[in-house]
Amino acid sequence: RHDPANSESIGTGVVRATAEDRAGFLWFGTWGGGLNRFDRRTGRFKAYRHDPADPASLSHETVLSLLIDHEGSLWAGTDDGLNRLDARTGRFTVFRPKSGLIESRWYRVLAEGADGSIWMGTYTQGLQRLDVRTGEIVAYKNDPKARGSLSTNRVNALCVDHAGTLWVGTQNG
């Protein structure tokens, strides 16, 4: 009997992100195929998919970015929010900004700040920072009138260096 949630193949979707957790599992974020975990010991995949009837499921089938934080938690940036997986239960906590803009939730890249915050680069809504303790999301956007603001609102890359400085690569520098 074929079980699509636990199979020998990654299933559907183009792979958009990869990560390896502390237990040695490989994680794959896909375009349209959800989140997939590969167990090297068994050679099998387990799929985590979006279920509209279950708010603790993955928030969207498109997973654009993955991050394993300093505590070993898996974060998945999707087309509809940032998801943190509870490894014990297999359930997700979803974080979204308070604004109603769907585009503000397209999390293309993720990085963990020196203080444990999660930085999220978006497709059109700039840079966002999640305070993990409070769940509050703060947005940083391009403002042509403000010196030192983000150069453009399309964020392509994030890196926190050894000194804790966040580097942001955008469509414009």
Side-chain angles (χ1 to χ4, degrees), residues 97-144:
K98 297 200 187 313
S99 76
L101 293 175
I102 290 178
E103 288 182 79
S104 66
R105 302 189 297 238
W106 293 357
Y107 297 125
R108 304 176 70 207
V109 290
L110 302 174
E112 182 178 17
D115 63 354
S117 60
I118 304 296
W119 290 96
M120 305 162 286
T122 72
Y123 188 68
T124 62
Q125 299 297 311
L127 178 66
Q128 296 178 13
R129 178 186 174 273
L130 169 67
D131 182 324
V132 176
R133 292 180 310 276
T134 66
E136 180 182 359
I137 296 176
V138 176
Y140 302 86
K141 291 184 167 187
N142 171 262
D143 179 353

Side-chain angles (χ1 to χ4, degrees), residues 19-33:
E20 181 178 10
D21 68 18
R22 291 180 181 172
F25 291 114
L26 296 176
W27 293 89
F28 300 91
T30 68
W31 188 279

Side-chain angles (χ1 to χ4, degrees), residues 19 22 27 31 49 70 76 88 92 123 139 147 156 164 169:
R22 291 180 181 172
W27 293 89
W31 188 279
R49 307 298 297 259
H70 74 280
R88 291 184 332 269
F92 293 88
Y123 188 68
R147 189 171 188 267
N156 298 325

